[in-house]
């Protein structure tokens, strides 16, 4: 009997998605198959979700499901696709949680329906943006299935493959970038603090950030408007903003160049791996 959804790879991404599907009752336990390279993770899942179908191999999963999410590292993806290639047909819909393997390489394994998407850690708290790109073979029912499923815990933004490299910096990569920026801010403040602990500084910063995000979104305020409302010429905020304005553009240019450059390198390595496997 066919299952509604199969998930290959129960790492950070696959496990997060599975837990959201269960938590929000989006797909019934008994209608999901999972497969993973490490059987230890599958054992713990089986204990938590009794009705889940545990597959012994990726090949077994693909034979049991028509809708398949593949949540593995980009450089492992070609190997997984080669394993399941003999069992792929026009009824199989692949949803692949990395955009770092180009569509031109994906269709070497499956010339059917493929959605590539970049989920975000923020979806753990029902937020953030999931970027998605459907190929020309994805039909309306498949688009609806994917977009409505993911929209339960994130905003879904559909775009062309050529725009994902840059955009993922604003979505999937953002929690890591944000955490590093805030960590350095706390470290700098800590050097000048007399009695306030690092934990208290971090808490104040996070509460302020949450409030600032709500202010901008709920009051439809732009970044520039917010700066003007808080910063008055000659004031303390104004002096700090001037430093950021002068120094941050170079920092962000360098960070984006490094991130998008590495993205391109991984895409090329994955392409080479796909060609070697075939």
């Amino acid at each position: 009997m066919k299952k509604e959804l199969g998930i290959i790879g129960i790492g950070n991404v696959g496990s997060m998605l599975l837990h959201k599907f269960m938590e929000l009752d989006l797909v019934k336990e008994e209608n999901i198959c999972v497969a993973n390279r490490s059987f230890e993770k599958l054992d713990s899942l089986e204990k938590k979700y009794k009705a889940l179908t545990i597959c012994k191999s990726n090949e077994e999963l693909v034979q049991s499901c028509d809708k398949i999410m593949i949540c593995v590292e980009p450089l492992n993806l070609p190997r997984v696709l080669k394993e399941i290639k003999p069992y792929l047909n026009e009824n199989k819909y692949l949803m692949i949680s990395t955009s770092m393997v180009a569509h031109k390489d994906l269709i070497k394994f499956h010339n059917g329906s493929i959605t590539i998407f970049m989920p975000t850690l923020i979806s753990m708290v029902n937020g953030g943006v999931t970027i998605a790109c459907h190929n020309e073979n994805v039909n309306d029912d498949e688009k609806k299935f994917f977009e409505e499923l993911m929209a339960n815990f994130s905003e879904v933004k559909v775009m062309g493959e050529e725009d994902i490299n840059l955009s993922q910096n604003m979505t999937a990569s953002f929690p890591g970038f944000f955490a590093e920026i805030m960590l350095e801010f706390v470290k700098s403040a800590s050097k000048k603090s007399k009695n306030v602990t690092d934990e208290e500084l971090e808490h104040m910063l996070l509460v302020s950030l949450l409030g600032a995000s709500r202010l901008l979104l709920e009051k439809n305020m732009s970044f520039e408007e917010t700066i003007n409302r808080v910063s008055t010429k000659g004031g303390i905020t104004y002096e700090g903003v001037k430093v950021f304005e002068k120094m941050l553009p170079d920092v962000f240019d360098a960070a984006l160049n490094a991130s998008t450059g590495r993205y391109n390198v991984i895409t090329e390595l994955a392409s080479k791996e796909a060609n070697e496997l075939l």
Side-chain angles (χ1 to χ4, degrees):
M1 179 179 176
K2 290 285 184 183
K3 301 293 183 177
E4 185 175 357
L5 178 67
I7 303 176
I8 295 176
I10 306 296
N12 291 334
V13 173
S15 60
M16 185 270 287
L17 292 173
L18 176 63
H19 292 320
K20 294 309 293 185
F21 299 156
M22 298 293 98
E23 174 192 330
L24 301 175
D25 196 26
L26 303 176
V27 186
K28 297 295 183 185
E29 242 179 84
E30 58 269 23
N31 289 329
I32 298 181
C33 291
V34 295
N36 193 68
R37 184 169 55 182
S38 165
F39 288 106
E40 292 177 6
K41 291 182 179 179
L42 294 176
D43 288 340
S44 63
L45 279 181
E46 195 171 23
K47 292 174 184 176
K48 185 171 184 178
Y49 304 118
K50 304 293 186 184
L52 204 64
T53 299
I54 305 296
C55 296
K56 295 178 181 178
S57 67
N58 297 333
E59 295 92 331
E60 179 186 338
L61 181 142
V62 174
Q63 292 177 80
S64 303
C65 309
D66 285 337
K67 296 183 178 72
I68 302 151
M69 281 189 168
I70 305 180
C71 306
V72 300
E73 294 292 328
L75 296 181
N76 290 331
L77 180 58
R79 175 189 58 79
V80 171
L81 291 172
K82 177 138 189 301
E83 287 177 358
I84 66 175
K85 188 176 187 297
Y87 308 98
L88 296 177
N89 55 49
E90 62 183 10
N91 297 319
K92 304 295 182 182
Y93 172 38
L94 302 185
M95 294 157 280
I96 297 172
S97 72
T98 178
S99 61
M100 284 178 273
V101 181
H103 181 255
K104 66 179 178 63
D105 292 311
L106 296 176
I107 60 174
K108 295 171 184 175
F109 299 94
H110 178 51
N111 193 20
S113 302
I114 300 175
T115 293
I116 56 176
F117 70 104
M118 295 291 284
T120 171
L121 184 67
I122 304 173
S123 291
M124 289 180 68
V125 291
N126 300 335
V129 178
T130 297
I131 296 175
C133 174
H134 305 297
N135 77 356
E136 64 278 5
N137 296 318
V138 180
N139 62 44
D140 289 342
D141 288 341
E142 291 165 339
K143 289 177 184 177
K144 183 179 180 182
F145 172 83
F146 174 82
E147 292 174 25
E148 290 187 354
L149 182 65
M150 301 301 289
N152 284 282
F153 48 85
S154 70
E155 181 178 321
V156 178
K157 178 70 174 175
V158 179
M159 62 179 60
E161 186 178 15
E162 68 279 2
D163 294 313
I164 293 181
N165 187 347
L166 177 64
S167 297
Q168 61 90 26
N169 286 280
M170 312 298 167
T171 57
S173 296
F174 177 74
F177 291 164
F178 153 73
E180 176 59 26
I181 292 167
M182 295 299 101
L183 179 59
E184 297 304 326
F185 201 179
V186 169
K187 287 179 181 178
S188 293
S190 182
K191 296 174 187 175
K192 302 180 181 301
S193 174
K194 293 182 180 179
N195 298 307
V196 184
T197 66
D198 287 1
E199 288 75 16
E200 290 171 319
L201 289 169
E202 186 172 319
H203 179 74
M204 287 189 287
L205 195 57
L206 288 172
V207 172
S208 298
L209 180 75
L210 179 61
S213 297
R214 288 187 58 197
L215 181 68
L216 269 70
L217 288 169
E218 294 176 17
K219 300 299 182 183
N220 197 28
M221 291 173 63
S222 68
F223 291 132
E224 288 188 0
E225 182 185 355
T226 305
I227 293 168
N228 292 334
R229 293 277 292 271
V230 176
S231 170
T232 55
K233 195 168 184 178
I236 58 174
T237 305
Y238 178 78
E239 293 303 318
V241 166
K242 283 200 302 183
V243 175
F244 289 142
E245 190 176 32
K246 179 181 179 180
M247 302 181 70
L248 284 181
D250 288 341
V251 172
F252 286 127
D253 282 346
L256 287 174
N257 286 338
S259 174
T260 56
R262 183 57 183 167
Y263 183 108
N264 290 331
V265 168
I266 294 174
T267 300
E268 290 173 7
L269 289 172
S271 181
K272 181 180 177 182
E273 176 70 11
N275 289 331
E276 290 176 354
L277 285 170
L278 293 170

